[in-house]
Amino acid sequence: MKLDWKRARKEPAPLEMLEELTAAALDIVDQASADRFMEQLALWLGCAVALLLDSDSGGQVHLWSAAGLSSNSRGLAISTPLAHSSWSTLALPYPELASPELVRSCIPLGESEGSAEQSQALLLFSERALWLPLRYHGMVRCLARGLHTALGRRQRSGLFLGSEFSLPQEKALLQSLNEASRDGIALFACEGQLIFANHRFSEMWGLDEELRSGSRDLLVTAAAAKVMDPAGFVARAQYYLDHPEVVGSDDIAMRDGRVFYRYTAPIRSADGACWGRGYYFRDVTSRRQSERALRLERDFNSAILDTLDALVVVLDRRGRIIRFNRACQRATGYSFEEVLDVTFWEQLLLPQDLELLKAEFVRLIESKQPRQLENSWMARDGKRRRIAWSNTVLLGEDGEVEYVIGTGIDVTEQRQAEAERDRLLAWEQEARARAEEQERRLAFLSGASGLLAGSLDEDSTLRGVAHLAVPRFADWCIIDLLDPDQSVRRILVEHADPTQAERARILRAHVPSLGATLGPGKVLRTGEAELLPEAALVPAGLEFRSCLCVPLLARDRILGVLTFGLMAPRRPYGTVELSLAQELARRTALAVDNARLYLAARQAIDLRDEFLSIASHELKTPLTTMKLALQGALRANRAAPQVETSPLSMPRSLETIEKHCGRLTRLVESLLEVSRLQAGHLELDLEEMDLSSLVREVAARFATELEKARCELTLRADAPVLGHWDVSRVDQILTHLFSNAIKYGSGKPVEVEVGRIGGLARLVVRDHGIGIPRERQGQIFRPFERAVSSRYYGGLGLGLHIVHQLVERLGGTIRVESEPGAGSTFIVQLPCAVS
Ligand code: ADP
């Protein structure tokens, strides 16, 4: 039917419209008449398209009837479920609705807004908003609902009529199926009357009479009498009657011991309408019994597992815990419920073991072979349990791993005991090693002590130490000595490898620098031992794996350094070796110091002995001369006592005696002076004086001696050089220097100069005599030191020592410049003002 738009645009006459539509509604016998009704409705309301829609319980929307849709469009399914939309916005697949000018009007057919009844709606599409007074909305809704009901009825009756012809066959088929079923089946109409029950049902329940009556109530009452819980049974039956949509299942315990599994569900027609309820009963007595037996067995197995001391954990192939026996629970503090379905690495492993054990799990699954491992579990209280596992797999029917069974023994205490035992063992071994080390150390040191005690010679002492150390303690031993003038002498390089002689030679020639930042030079400077545990490069291309430098310290003085070097592959030096080396160095330094003291003492004794022989010779010479002079005088007197002694001979003897007396006095005074100086008893009597005039005075005193020695003296002491000095001490200085210049001047000219440089008076005494060997020049200022043979030159070796002491007391300096055979120059400098 085509839409009559002119008519549609007319104002509708409600009464006329109602009459026409009611008549059309009454005519509805099939889908076509329903569609005609819709077309009339659309025409009256001026709609291009009118749709009557319905949604089922799943939200699926169906088209009941329509006007303005092609047959093709009617065949299109509405894909959007209502649950995701609402009637007014529902997406529809019909091309007729494509025009954007069409306005949708929605008339829900429910009783009230939001009720479940709103599963139906009338949708009207027109070019403008629907013209329909509000009061007609209800009417349209009633008409549409009537249409819906009528259509529903027609559909059902159509189905019924359609199926009427095939019903006998279908019924026969259904019955045979039902009879063939192992389940007892009873079908009831919604109102409760029995529609059908199969043979198996009556066999199971034994309710033939009640079945024949067809009464549901009789059946329920009779059946209730046969079950263990009649009241529950009746209440359940009533519940299903009151709730036709409900699906349920349960077990029913029969009085005779059987167990029926009951399943019940609504029976629906093809359109989804519920028209009855089916009950399906299955005798599950034996199944439940076997289930119970299985459960019992499982409980039994569980009991066994739980009574075992071993830990048993069963995992599925994804690692989730599905069994966790008591031993596991005791070990971890977790209950089975807490770990059920948890992957074992999430709950029980230490973070550091995680990846390792996951990989192990994968290997186990892949290899399907039993594997052993030991790992730690973290208990709930944070303590670790050490567990030795034996893991195996259970394969499913498909041959793939279904379960992993881990059987473990808690070895925590055992491992702790082992660790304790290992610790004790290690401690014992360490203690033994320490004792042995101590023993070796003592043996080494006692060897060193024996060696050091047996020698009073510095050189052999040091050589002995080096021999002792190499190769027992070191592969290389180097000894450097520090002299009082801060010069370093490398005196020894000892090594174990004869092929290294050339390197040793190079090393011997290398003298460490006191400015070095490490090694022997630094130790000589700081006096502190140094341990170089890393590879240290040494001269001569040697590379020590490890190196030790220890100072030789005695009486707070650094005498030298011992350097010990180790070559690979020997173990590097540590603190133990360092302290051993220090002890060795301490003893060595003591021995060296003793050797030096001994040497000094020996030299002092030799010097004293030499002095005594010289002194006795020096003293004896004037005494002998004096004795001879006296004896001559006495002899002359005895021969002619009355005769007056020759006036010529007597005074000559007396003069000789006096001269030698003076010499004796000077010798004794020198000795006294030295002992006074050494005792520190030297008082200075300072006064202003002129050094030039004193030099001239002393020179005049030496006139006779100069003449005797045929020595020419040149004096340059004209200008006065004033200063505060002790006159008698300066006189002593001049006397000793003049006397030496004449004594060792070989009769050659002697020059004396007095001058002044800044605040210093400068005295120079130069001769051109025998001179002094270079190596002796440093020693001649020490007491009793002489650089000449006493056979040719008399003297006690005290003069220069006294001069040196006096000059120092006056705050000045004295030095000598000399060439053997060319003469000597003594230079004295005195500050003019003594502080
Ligand atoms: P003595 O002259 O009694 O031996 P001194 O102390 O005066 O003692 O001198 C020490 C030594 O120094 C001398 O024995 C001598 O060897 C050396 N000596 C001193 N003065 C001179 C000099 N002018 N020329 C060479 N040798 C000298």
Side-chain angles (χ1 to χ4, degrees), residues 177 491 705:
L177 278 174
I491 59 139
E705 275 191 66

Side-chain angles (χ1 to χ4, degrees), residues 19-265:
E19 272 174 15
E20 203 175 309
L21 286 174
T22 309
L26 289 171
D27 273 352
I28 296 171
V29 289
D30 55 11
Q31 187 67 46
S33 52
D35 291 345
R36 270 199 303 281
F37 168 83
M38 286 292 282
E39 276 163 6
Q40 271 180 304
L41 181 70
L43 206 59
W44 272 107
L45 298 179
C47 300
V49 178
L51 306 173
L52 181 60
L53 300 167
D54 175 62
S55 80
D56 62 20
S57 56
Q60 185 61 49
V61 179
H62 306 281
L63 180 69
W64 273 84
S65 182
L69 279 194
S70 71
S71 55
N72 272 352
S73 297
R74 283 164 189 267
L76 296 171
I78 301 168
S79 54
T80 317
L82 190 59
H84 297 162
S85 175
S86 72
W87 288 116
S88 51
T89 57
L90 181 71
L92 295 163
Y94 311 124
E96 287 82 351
L97 304 181
S99 167
E101 274 137 39
L102 286 181
V103 178
R104 180 188 297 207
S105 302
C106 171
I107 302 171
L109 302 184
E111 291 298 313
S112 59
E113 291 289 314
S115 81
E117 295 292 324
Q118 282 188 349
S119 60
Q120 297 152 14
L122 184 62
L123 298 187
L124 303 169
F125 295 86
S126 54
E127 282 190 323
R128 55 192 161 82
L130 185 64
W131 176 91
L132 191 61
L134 208 56
R135 63 182 180 279
Y136 293 134
H137 272 221
M139 183 195 78
V140 173
R141 193 179 290 138
C142 281
L143 279 170
R145 201 180 302 136
L147 169 69
H148 183 264
T149 312
L151 265 178
R153 289 237 174 94
R154 293 276 178 244
Q155 204 172 33
R156 273 201 292 279
S157 66
L159 279 173
F160 179 70
L161 286 171
S163 63
E164 213 172 6
F165 301 104
S166 58
L167 204 59
Q169 290 96 326
E170 282 182 9
K171 196 175 172 188
L173 182 68
L174 195 69
Q175 229 158 14
S176 63
L177 278 174
N178 284 336
E179 292 307 339
S181 168
R182 284 171 54 240
D183 297 338
I185 302 171
L187 308 177
F188 294 86
C190 281
E191 294 73 21
Q193 65 272 32
L194 176 70
I195 297 171
F196 168 80
N198 70 352
H199 178 67
R200 175 76 182 132
F201 180 83
S202 77
E203 198 178 75
M204 286 170 75
W205 285 94
L207 299 169
D208 294 346
E209 203 174 310
E210 289 79 359
L211 280 171
R212 270 193 299 280
S213 79
S215 159
R216 179 187 169 282
D217 292 345
L218 271 178
L219 264 174
V220 171
T221 316
K226 290 176 180 265
V227 304
M228 292 294 283
D229 176 17
F233 182 82
V234 171
R236 202 74 200 148
Q238 188 58 46
Y239 174 78
Y240 288 134
L241 188 63
D242 295 342
H243 299 85
E245 298 288 335
V246 167
V247 175
S249 66
D250 56 352
D251 273 3
I252 300 168
M254 305 296 287
R255 280 185 184 280
D256 58 9
R258 287 179 300 161
V259 179
F260 290 172
Y261 169 73
R262 169 169 63 183
Y263 173 77
T264 177

Side-chain angles (χ1 to χ4, degrees), residues 740 743-744 767 772 785-788 795-800 824:
N740 280 351
K743 183 154 86 181
Y744 303 110
D767 65 66
I772 307 162
E785 287 287 354
R786 309 196 71 221
V788 287
L796 294 175
L798 293 174
L800 284 183
S824 309

